[in-house]
Amino acid sequence: MLGCSPSTITNYIERHPEIAEAATEIQEERLDIAETVVIRNLGRDDAPALQFKAATYYLRTKGRSRGYSMSLTTREKLELQYDLTRLSPEEKRTLLELLNKAKKP
């Protein structure tokens, strides 16, 4: 949008503390908005799948001190890329078995 390279912007931010502070404030505001969306979805009893995803995300990012991890399982990675609800339970099992078999050690 500005017609310059990202490194030019980075250099400018590094040389001007007031710009760096403004950039940090913008990032923090966006994080606040995103966190608000996740927290709102935690209470969505009308959308259990969305509620579950919001809870899982929240625990993995905010609940690390309680043992929740950021690493995704094979199933979760698949669910982010594909609509597994269209598969039967048997097809899902077969798919996961094949993927686990093909996984590199």
Side-chain angles (χ1 to χ4, degrees), residues 12-23:
Y12 193 82
I13 290 171
E14 288 174 355
R15 286 184 291 136
H16 299 278
E18 66 278 8
I19 302 297
E21 186 176 329

Side-chain angles (χ1 to χ4, degrees), residues 5 17 29 32 38 41 52 54-56 59-60 65 67 80 83 85 87 95 97 100-101:
S5 71
E29 287 173 10
D32 289 343
V38 170
N41 284 311
F52 177 76
T56 301
L59 288 172
R60 287 190 174 145
S65 65
L80 288 174
D83 182 6
T85 61
L87 299 177
L95 176 61
E97 286 171 7
N100 284 330
K101 185 178 181 180

Side-chain angles (χ1 to χ4, degrees), residues 88-103:
S88 70
E90 178 62 32
E91 289 171 325
K92 286 180 191 176
R93 260 193 311 278
T94 301
L95 176 61
L96 290 172
E97 286 171 7
L98 289 170
L99 287 170
N100 284 330
K101 185 178 181 180
K103 188 186 281 186

